[in-house]
Amino acid sequence: AASITPAILGGARNLTKDLDCFCTNDASNTGCDKQSNQIYSGHLSFPEFCIDSMFEAFNHHFVKTQRTTIHAVVGGSGPPLLLLHGYPQTHIMWHRVAPALASYFTVVCTDLRGYGDSGKPDTAPDDSTYSKRKTAQDQVEVMTALGFDQFMAAGHDRGGRVLHRLL
């Protein structure tokens, strides 16, 4: 089982409101084949956001967990730090914080299940599919797959509640 150390980051806010990089989904962009988990030219192609300039030194991963596939961006070096976004954001909310933290940590920003480019499993009749407990288990499986048995974590809003289930 993974060991988690909570980390507190002040000043978290919805950073997706002030994105300054937009790009088009044209032939010059490269992309990712989610079926084979292959990433072409090290970045993804999105019609709305130019993810490359926000996470230049980060690599994209699609990690298969027991119940779904979780999208993550990973960059930096040092002790591992998992950043969990809030509602209704994605990993992009960390685009200004993550590169700065990457100077000191190996930063892992995921899209929680049901958000962004992570899997969106069908909802169970009792709504347990999207419980914080199952979402937390996804994060443990991602960190384990990336080679981290112990890691620090910080969460905003829903991500904070998922983090609570990790402890």
Side-chain angles (χ1 to χ4, degrees):
S3 172
I4 296 97
T5 303
I8 306 295
L9 298 177
R13 61 187 180 92
N14 182 355
L15 297 173
T16 59
K17 290 181 180 175
D18 53 357
L19 294 177
D20 54 8
C21 178
F22 297 92
C23 63
T24 59
N25 191 12
D26 60 26
S28 66
N29 290 336
T30 57
C32 174
D33 178 355
K34 292 182 190 177
Q35 298 298 330
S36 64
N37 293 333
Q38 295 297 310
I39 297 170
Y40 304 106
S41 298
H43 62 78
L44 299 174
S45 173
F46 290 92
E48 292 185 50
F49 303 115
C50 186
I51 303 301
D52 286 338
S53 67
M54 288 185 269
F55 291 96
E56 281 184 44
F58 286 68
N59 294 311
H60 293 265
H61 298 269
F62 289 90
V63 179
K64 292 188 187 310
T65 65
Q66 289 179 357
R67 298 175 180 99
T68 191
T69 299
I70 301 297
H71 172 244
V73 292
V74 181
S77 61
L81 172 63
L82 174 64
L83 299 178
L84 302 177
H85 66 81
Y87 171 83
Q89 295 98 4
T90 65
H91 76 280
I92 295 171
M93 75 164 282
W94 300 109
H95 82 279
R96 293 187 195 230
V97 176
L101 289 171
S103 297
Y104 307 97
F105 301 96
T106 299
V107 177
V108 178
C109 302
T110 62
D111 289 334
L112 299 174
R113 66 165 56 196
Y115 293 82
D117 285 324
S118 286
K120 295 156 184 67
D122 292 334
T123 303
D126 64 356
D127 293 326
S128 65
T129 305
Y130 290 92
S131 71
K132 312 279 184 316
R133 190 176 309 275
K134 287 186 180 174
T135 303
Q137 182 60 39
D138 292 338
Q139 303 307 308
V140 170
E141 291 177 35
V142 166
M143 295 304 281
T144 300
L146 294 173
F148 305 121
D149 291 330
Q150 295 185 352
F151 54 91
M152 293 176 284
H156 167 70
D157 189 53
R158 183 174 183 87
R161 290 172 183 87
V162 170
L163 175 58
H164 176 76
R165 289 299 185 180
L166 286 170
L167 301 176

